[in-house]
Amino acid sequence: MIKPSSQLGESILQLIAAYTNYKDPLGPGVAIQRKGAVRDFFVQQGSISFEIHDKRERAFDVEIHTTPPSENVRRAVLSGDLHEAVPKVAEIQIHHVCPDWATPCRHEIAALLQLVKECEDDPNVILKWRGIEL
């Protein structure tokens, strides 16, 4: 499991827990993310996409869309509270076509876990995704 090293990473894990609504929210996607199967990460304002390569013939695309942040969120981020840029569950939509029946499926969870890693490696990812310029 990913252990966040920042308040930003911890806030994204809280988003994941709220989004998945499982007792063990990370279990299904941890193995996929750990083995490096989440690739081809791309971020733009309002959208992040990942390509998930599990043991199937073709990769799965996962797109995570978010709404623009409120002015209060922008002000909080500009004053140094970067973790405030993490959207709430109601502010995201995940688009993914998957033969698994679970919602969210393991591919979506793996993508969300990779989001933690990407944002911890480069906090500008969350800013670009939310459309916040410092």
Side-chain angles (χ1 to χ4, degrees), residues 36 38 40 59 78 88 132:
V38 183
D40 296 332
L78 292 174
K88 307 295 184 239
I132 300 172

Side-chain angles (χ1 to χ4, degrees), residues 87-118:
K88 307 295 184 239
V89 171
E91 297 174 319
I92 65 169
Q93 288 185 328
I94 298 180
H95 298 281
H96 171 60
V97 177
C98 181
D100 294 348
W101 57 268
T103 302
C105 76
R106 58 193 169 150
H107 304 110
E108 294 169 353
I109 293 169
L112 287 164
L113 290 171
Q114 188 68 26
L115 177 61
V116 174
K117 181 182 179 318
E118 297 295 341

Side-chain angles (χ1 to χ4, degrees), residues 4-57:
S5 60
S6 67
Q7 192 170 8
L8 173 60
E10 191 61 47
S11 294
I12 298 170
L13 278 183
Q14 290 173 5
L15 168 67
I16 295 168
Y19 183 77
T20 59
N21 200 22
Y22 290 140
K23 290 181 182 169
D24 179 15
L26 308 180
V30 170
I32 292 172
Q33 193 276 333
R34 259 196 200 154
K35 71 179 182 180
V38 183
R39 303 183 201 144
D40 296 332
F41 160 73
F42 179 75
V43 61
Q44 61 186 8
Q45 184 175 337
S47 177
I48 289 183
S49 62
F50 299 91
E51 199 169 81
I52 314 293
H53 297 264
D54 65 3
K55 296 178 181 175
R56 299 202 171 113
E57 190 174 305

